[in-house]
Amino acid sequence: MKLGRLFRPRLLSALLLSVSLGASLVAAPALAQERGELRIATSYKLMTLDPHYANLNENTSLLSHIYERLVYQDEKLQLMPGLATSWRALSDTQWEFKLRDGVRFHDSAVFDADDVVYSIERIRDFLKPPSGGFRSSVSGIKSISAPDPLTVVIETNGAVPTLPLTFSSIFLMNKPADGFETTEALNSGSPPNGTGPYRFESWSSGESLRLVRNDAYWGGKPAWLKVGFRVIENPAARVAALSTGEVDVADAIPARDVDALKQRGASIASVGAARINFVQFDVDRDTLPGVTDKSGAPIANPFKNPLVRRALALATDRGILVDKILAGYGTAASQVFPTGLPGTSGKLLPEGPDYEQAKALLAKAGYPDGFNLVLAGPAGRYPGDAESLQAIAQSWARIGINAQPSAAPFSVFNTKRAAGDYGIWYGGTSGEAVDIILRALLASPNPERGTGALNFGKYQNPAFDQMLAKAESIAVGPERNAALGSATELVMADQPIIPLYHFHHIVGYGPRIGAYVMHPRGWTTAMQTIAATE
C-alpha cells in the first residue's frame, strides 16, 4: 500500500468522531478485521494508575484507554457527548447531565449516576496534595446528586457556565462498596476498572503499559486485539524503534527527523498544539538571581518595568525558532492558543523582531547598555526547548542583553523554579480552553478563586482579572469567545510573558497503520490509529 495516502472525506469525518468519543471504528465493515497487537513508542511516562492523581498529558493519554469522561473535546476543541449524552443549565448554579444507558465497567458492573457522584467527590473531598490534580476543577461544586440512575444534578457555589468543559478532563471511576480508593491501592491492588475501549493487562511504572481489547465496549469493538506502550524517553531511540519496525507508532517525533523517516517509508501526521511555549518574568521580587549589570553587580529587578519586557519581546526572533529549530513544525505565537481557536483574538498577530525599537525602549527604561541575565529552561521537556534558549540568547545579544542559557532536566528545572532560583525562564503549558490557560498563567495568584497556579512570576493586573472574570460568566459561545479575546488583547499589551510558539505534535507511523488522526491536545492513543487495509 502507499503510505500517507489521502482518504475519503466521509471516512475522515468518521475518524474524527471516533477520536472525540474515544471509540474505534471497527463497526465499519472495511475495518472489522482482526488486527493483532498495536505497538506504540511513547514519550509519556505513566507513573500512576490513579486517574485523578495529576492533570498531565501522561495520564490523560494513556489512561483514556481504560477510563472515560462525561464529555469529550473533538479536534476543534468543541464539546461532544461521552458518557453523558446531553447536558443543560437548569439555572445559573444548577446543571443537569443525562447519562448514557447500557454502559458497563470492565468488571461488568453497570455504570450509573452514583459513579459520577463518587468520582467528583473523590477529587473534591478525598485526594490531598500533591495528588488531587483536578481539585481546582471541582472546587466550585457545592453539591452533586443522582435523582435517578441516568441523571446527575450538580449545584455550584456560583455561576459556572463552563462546567461541561470541566468534565472533558475528568475520568469516571466505579464506586466501590466502601469509602474512597487510595492512590496506593490503585497502583498496587486490583486492575483498574473503567468503561473504556481497552482493559488493563499489566503496567511497569515509567516503562510500559499493556492493554487488551474490551469486546463489550459500548462504542463498538475496538480495532486492536492488544495494545502495548513502550516508554522511550529519548527521541532518537523512538525514531530508531519506528525506523526498524519495532513499533507501529512513535509520538513526539523531532522535526529534524521527519525527512529521514519519510525516506525510510514511514508516514507523518502533525497538528498545531493547543498550548503555548513562552518566556516568563519574575515581576514580584526587588532583586533577582542571575540578573546583574554588565560588571556582575546586582541590580533592581528590571522586569517590573513593562518597557523592558516589551523590549525583550521585540528582540525575540520567532521566525528562527519556528523555521530553524522546529523545522517548520510550529506556529509563531502572539497569544496562548493558535489564532482561530475559540477564545482567541484575531487582532493579535505574531511580530517580527525590531532590534532598533527594542534598544530604544531599553534606553528609555534606563538600560542603554543592557544587562546580564540567566535564561533558565527545561531540556527535553518540549520540542526544541534547549535549542530555543540558545536562539533567544543570540537574539537578545543584539540589543545588549547578555543572556546565559541554563537548561536542566525538567524535574530539576521545576524544583528550582518553585524555589525561586530563577528570575526569567522558558516554559510551556496546555489546557482544555483559552480561559483555563489565562486563569492559570496570567491571572493574579488567588488560591480562593483558583487563579494563578502557573503564574510563577506573580504578575498582577486587576483590570485583566475583572475582564477575565466577566468573560467567564458568559455562556459558552461567540459572545464569550469575543470577551476572552478582548481580555487577552488587554493583558498582552502589558507583556507579562513573551509568547514564542505553538509547536506541532508530530507522530510517525509504519505500514500497519493506514492513518493517524491528530488532536491538538497532544494525545497518543490506540483510538487515533486506523489499521491499514489490504
Side-chain angles (χ1 to χ4, degrees):
M1 61 167 290
K2 182 178 180 181
L3 295 178
R5 68 191 186 283
L6 297 176
F7 42 93
R8 298 184 302 276
R10 181 177 299 177
L11 176 57
L12 175 59
S13 299
L15 299 183
L16 296 177
L17 180 61
S18 77
V19 174
S20 66
L21 295 182
S24 71
L25 286 186
V26 292
L31 302 175
Q33 302 174 22
E34 192 73 37
R35 293 301 176 191
E37 180 173 354
L38 175 68
R39 305 161 301 168
I40 301 177
T42 182
S43 59
Y44 290 140
K45 292 180 67 174
L46 180 64
M47 306 304 293
T48 178
L49 295 177
D50 185 343
H52 299 153
Y53 184 85
N55 189 1
L56 297 171
N57 253 11
E58 288 90 329
N59 286 24
T60 301
S61 290
L62 302 185
L63 292 182
S64 66
H65 296 81
I66 301 170
Y67 296 100
E68 296 184 286
R69 315 165 184 85
L70 287 177
V71 182
Y72 286 88
Q73 284 182 297
D74 68 11
E75 82 290 350
K76 297 296 184 183
L77 302 185
Q78 302 296 330
L79 298 183
M80 300 287 289
L83 291 179
T85 57
S86 65
W87 49 89
R88 63 184 179 123
L90 302 179
S91 69
D92 286 345
T93 58
Q94 273 198 337
W95 283 85
E96 178 187 81
F97 290 79
K98 290 294 186 180
L99 306 183
R100 192 175 297 278
D101 194 10
V103 175
R104 289 185 176 271
F105 287 93
H106 296 162
D107 66 355
S108 297
V110 175
F111 165 75
D112 63 21
D114 287 340
D115 301 306
V116 180
V117 174
Y118 166 78
S119 298
I120 294 174
E121 290 183 343
R122 180 175 186 266
I123 297 170
R124 187 192 63 185
D125 304 333
F126 178 68
L127 293 180
K128 306 295 182 185
S131 60
F134 296 91
R135 177 173 290 184
S136 62
S137 299
V138 299
S139 60
I141 294 178
K142 181 178 180 180
S143 65
I144 176 169
S145 59
D148 64 64
L150 295 179
T151 303
V152 172
V153 174
I154 296 174
E155 184 174 353
T156 58
N157 292 317
V160 185
T162 58
L163 191 65
L165 176 63
T166 296
F167 290 137
S168 70
S169 291
I170 294 174
F171 289 122
L172 299 179
M173 299 175 62
N174 184 214
K175 180 181 179 181
D178 298 301
F180 293 104
E181 291 181 276
T182 66
T183 299
E184 293 74 19
L186 288 169
N187 286 340
S188 60
S190 57
N193 184 30
T195 61
Y198 292 92
R199 300 170 181 264
F200 175 85
E201 183 177 81
S202 65
W203 168 63
S204 179
S205 178
E207 295 182 5
S208 64
L209 175 68
R210 294 189 61 80
L211 307 164
V212 296
R213 185 168 65 193
N214 176 15
D215 289 339
Y217 182 53
W218 62 266
K221 186 182 294 186
W224 303 94
L225 182 62
K226 290 190 174 186
V227 178
F229 283 91
R230 287 174 52 193
V231 178
I232 304 179
E233 292 187 87
N234 183 278
R238 285 196 303 278
V239 170
L242 179 62
S243 298
T244 59
E246 294 178 44
V247 298
D248 302 303
V249 177
D251 66 15
I253 296 295
R256 63 178 177 269
D257 293 318
V258 167
D259 288 342
L261 278 173
K262 287 181 177 178
Q263 291 173 8
R264 295 176 187 141
S267 295
I268 298 294
S270 69
V271 69
R275 61 172 305 117
I276 182 176
N277 285 75
F278 52 85
V279 170
Q280 191 171 34
F281 307 95
D282 184 325
V283 298
D284 182 53
R285 291 178 286 176
D286 293 331
T287 59
L288 299 173
V291 179
T292 70
D293 65 18
K294 288 299 183 70
S295 69
I299 59 175
N301 182 353
F303 308 132
K304 289 189 175 186
N305 190 331
L307 294 179
V308 174
R309 303 195 297 265
R310 179 63 180 150
L312 292 177
L314 283 172
T316 303
D317 191 341
R318 296 168 181 82
I320 288 179
L321 302 178
V322 170
D323 296 336
K324 302 298 184 182
I325 294 175
L326 299 180
Y329 283 93
T331 304
S334 60
Q335 52 194 313
V336 297
F337 265 13
T339 302
L341 288 178
T344 57
S345 168
K347 297 179 181 179
L348 293 175
L349 301 175
E351 299 176 300
D354 188 333
Y355 300 110
E356 292 305 314
Q357 185 181 352
K359 284 192 279 189
L361 289 176
L362 272 186
K364 186 176 181 180
Y367 304 95
D369 299 322
F371 51 86
N372 299 338
L373 61 84
V374 174
L375 178 60
R381 175 69 175 181
Y382 311 109
D385 46 17
E387 296 92 337
S388 292
L389 296 181
Q390 297 284 346
I392 293 168
Q394 292 172 11
S395 291
W396 289 355
R398 299 182 61 170
I399 63 169
I401 300 297
N402 180 18
Q404 176 187 344
S406 177
F410 181 72
S411 59
V412 176
F413 164 78
N414 205 29
T415 299
K416 288 189 172 184
R417 180 178 58 182
D421 290 354
Y422 304 135
I424 180 172
W425 55 89
Y426 163 103
T429 187
S430 63
E432 298 89 339
V434 161
D435 57 296
I436 291 176
I437 296 184
L438 292 176
R439 281 174 60 87
L441 187 63
L442 300 179
S444 301
N446 186 325
E448 292 183 1
R449 291 191 61 239
T451 57
L454 300 178
N455 187 350
F456 300 111
K458 305 294 179 59
Y459 172 78
Q460 297 192 47
N461 187 330
F464 167 69
D465 293 338
Q466 292 176 6
M467 288 186 71
L468 179 59
K470 182 177 180 180
E472 290 180 312
S473 70
I474 302 171
V476 174
E479 183 182 355
R480 177 189 178 88
N481 292 337
L484 289 171
S486 296
T488 301
E489 292 164 14
L490 181 138
V491 73
M492 290 312 304
D494 202 27
Q495 208 74 66
I497 61 170
I498 302 176
L500 297 176
Y501 50 73
H502 314 285
F503 67 72
H504 292 184
H505 297 295
I506 307 175
V507 168
Y509 56 93
R512 296 181 67 225
I513 309 301
Y516 188 91
V517 184
M518 298 296 294
H519 195 284
R521 293 286 302 279
W523 297 330
T524 302
T525 73
M527 293 81 78
Q528 292 167 261
T529 63
I530 307 302
T533 55
E534 296 296 336

